[in-house]
Amino acid sequence: MTHPEFLPIQWKSTHLELLDQRILPGKKEFLKIVSVEETILAIREMAVRGAPAIAITGVFGLTLGAKSRVGVASSKDIDSLLTSVLESRPTAVNLSYAIREAKNRIQGITDWSLITEVWESYGKEMVKLDLSANRALGENGLSLFPKDQSEYHIITHCNTGALATAGHGTALGVIRSLRDAGKKVIVYADETRPFLQGSRLTAFEMMEEGIECYIITDGMSGWLMNHRKIDAVLVGCDRVAANGDTANKIGTYNLGIVAKEHGVPFYVCATKDSFDLNLKTGDEIPIEMRKESEVTQFDFLKTEDGKFLFPEGKTSPIGARALNPSFDVTKAHLIKNFITEFGCFVPEEISVRLKNV
């Protein structure tokens, strides 16, 4: 998907096009987004997902919002627009950084047409910077894998590839870089319930790349580490606190505990904007709660004539309740290294490393 570069976010000057990740891998269709309201809906409904991709999409959504307005922009109208996009998904820090920078870039500007130009330029800049950061991150990750080893077995969680970024990816970017360095990589992709970003999206990307990949359920990692040699766990992240506690897709924490028990190095792949030094620990990271129906129903249980075994594709009793936190926090002591575009380092070095970036 990176040969040629696969770009799930495409700005077309008059509108935004997003690869609809809700219907992958069954269909490859782009959504045409023409307003800030449609942008917010696409983010909330996970047509686009992944912290870097959400941030870029949010800025182009602001651009569409500004483009629809004329005349003089009041500070109240600007703040209302910024807040509406910021609140679309709360856990990933990338979006809040992007919104803050978008506001800073229009200080003293009150003409909506000029604001549109500034935000459009910023969105394009974000795409280029994210692609560059991902490629650098992938190359830096190579240093953590023995050069004299020809084959690596790696577990991933959620989707951290081109679909979650402007292209190339973070954790999957490291895997791509290993492949490009001539190594054989075998990927074990956690399905990542309930939205199945691993089985739907990571497996899709790996198949597109020709990288060997096996889907495992979220509860299989312990068995896998106990029965096969796993060289590393590679995950992405949505927010990293100052002490190294890391929020990522629900199930990451479990994977970190199992990796620690089996002596498997657990690596978090993060670009600069994933770090939030304003938060001392992961206890301060807001966790998004999503709708219960994502857990209680699915459409794969059907009879031979195509009818659902459960009404409306439910996989649980009618009326059953469910919890659906979208993220959890992996404690810093479970993380061996952070892999970033500015190097690899242990959690204790975060504050020092970030000061120099």
Side-chain angles (χ1 to χ4, degrees):
M1 293 173 71
T2 53
H3 306 289
E5 196 74 65
F6 183 77
L7 302 175
I9 306 168
Q10 299 184 20
W11 176 250
K12 302 294 185 179
S13 91
T14 60
H15 64 277
L16 178 65
E17 292 189 2
L18 299 173
L19 183 64
D20 191 344
Q21 298 186 34
R22 297 168 299 181
I23 58 176
L24 284 173
K27 295 180 180 179
K28 296 181 187 179
E29 291 184 359
F30 279 83
L31 292 173
K32 182 178 180 180
I33 306 295
V34 298
S35 68
V36 65
E37 291 80 12
E38 290 181 358
T39 305
I40 293 169
L41 185 62
I43 293 173
R44 284 181 176 164
E45 295 299 314
M46 293 178 70
V48 60
R49 23 76 45 207
I54 288 171
I56 295 167
T57 299
V59 171
F60 283 130
L62 291 176
T63 305
L64 291 170
K67 189 184 288 287
S68 69
R69 292 159 168 79
V70 295
V72 177
S74 69
S75 58
K76 181 179 179 181
D77 286 342
I78 291 172
D79 287 342
S80 176
L81 180 58
L82 292 166
T83 300
S84 67
V85 175
L86 177 62
E87 292 177 347
S88 58
R89 292 200 72 185
T91 300
V93 71
N94 307 59
L95 180 60
S96 64
Y97 284 156
I99 298 299
R100 186 188 310 161
E101 178 63 17
K103 183 174 184 178
N104 289 339
R105 292 194 177 204
I106 60 166
Q107 292 298 318
I109 302 175
T110 58
D111 182 270
W112 279 116
S113 63
L114 293 178
I115 291 173
T116 300
E117 291 178 11
V118 171
W119 283 345
E120 179 179 14
S121 176
Y122 178 39
K124 291 177 180 178
E125 178 185 324
M126 288 180 71
V127 170
K128 292 180 180 178
L129 288 175
D130 190 59
L131 281 168
S132 175
N134 290 342
R135 294 191 186 104
L137 184 157
E139 289 299 311
N140 289 338
L142 295 180
S143 66
L144 299 176
F145 293 84
K147 292 182 179 180
D148 58 352
Q149 190 170 324
S150 61
E151 181 174 300
Y152 303 102
H153 293 247
I154 296 172
I155 297 177
T156 69
H157 190 72
C158 197
N159 172 261
T160 57
L163 296 171
T165 62
H168 193 68
T170 55
L172 291 193
V174 175
I175 289 170
R176 286 185 169 100
S177 294
L178 284 167
R179 185 275 314 274
D180 293 343
K183 306 297 184 178
K184 178 177 175 60
V185 185
I186 298 173
V187 175
Y188 301 92
D190 267 354
E191 63 175 350
T192 317
R193 282 276 290 152
F195 217 71
L196 303 177
Q197 293 98 321
S199 59
R200 291 189 303 109
L201 306 179
T202 295
F204 169 68
E205 287 201 45
M206 295 296 90
M207 290 179 70
E208 291 280 310
E209 290 277 12
I211 295 174
E212 189 171 350
C213 179
Y214 297 91
I215 298 166
I216 60 172
T217 66
D218 293 357
M220 286 183 185
S221 57
W223 178 92
L224 191 61
M225 293 183 203
N226 200 39
H227 286 80
R228 298 188 183 182
K229 184 181 185 308
I230 301 300
D231 296 288
V233 173
L234 285 173
V235 300
C237 63
D238 288 80
R239 188 180 299 219
V240 182
N243 73 332
D245 290 350
T246 298
N248 192 49
K249 189 57 57 184
I250 190 75
T252 306
Y253 182 29
N254 304 46
L255 188 56
I257 293 171
V258 174
K260 187 77 169 182
E261 173 67 20
H262 289 83
V264 174
F266 186 96
Y267 299 131
V268 172
C269 302
T271 55
K272 175 175 63 69
D273 285 346
S274 295
F275 293 89
D276 187 352
L277 301 187
N278 293 317
L279 304 184
K280 293 181 180 179
T281 73
D283 293 336
E284 300 174 60
I285 299 175
I287 301 298
E288 174 189 359
M289 297 294 290
R290 295 186 59 80
K291 53 191 177 184
E292 296 179 38
S293 60
E294 291 178 354
V295 176
T296 60
Q297 63 189 55
F298 199 58
D299 65 358
F300 65 85
L301 292 176
K302 294 181 181 179
T303 60
E304 290 184 1
D305 60 357
K307 295 180 180 179
F308 287 120
L309 289 173
F310 291 86
E312 299 177 352
K314 287 184 176 292
T315 57
S316 55
I318 295 174
R321 300 299 306 277
L323 286 174
N324 189 13
S326 192
F327 303 90
D328 58 24
V329 175
T330 301
K331 303 299 183 181
H333 73 271
L334 299 173
I335 299 168
K336 185 173 180 61
N337 280 98
F338 285 94
I339 304 174
T340 75
E341 72 271 37
F342 50 94
C344 303
F345 48 87
V346 297
E348 293 79 9
E349 296 178 334
I350 286 176
S351 295
V352 174
R353 292 295 188 118
L354 266 291
K355 285 180 181 178
N356 299 321
V357 177

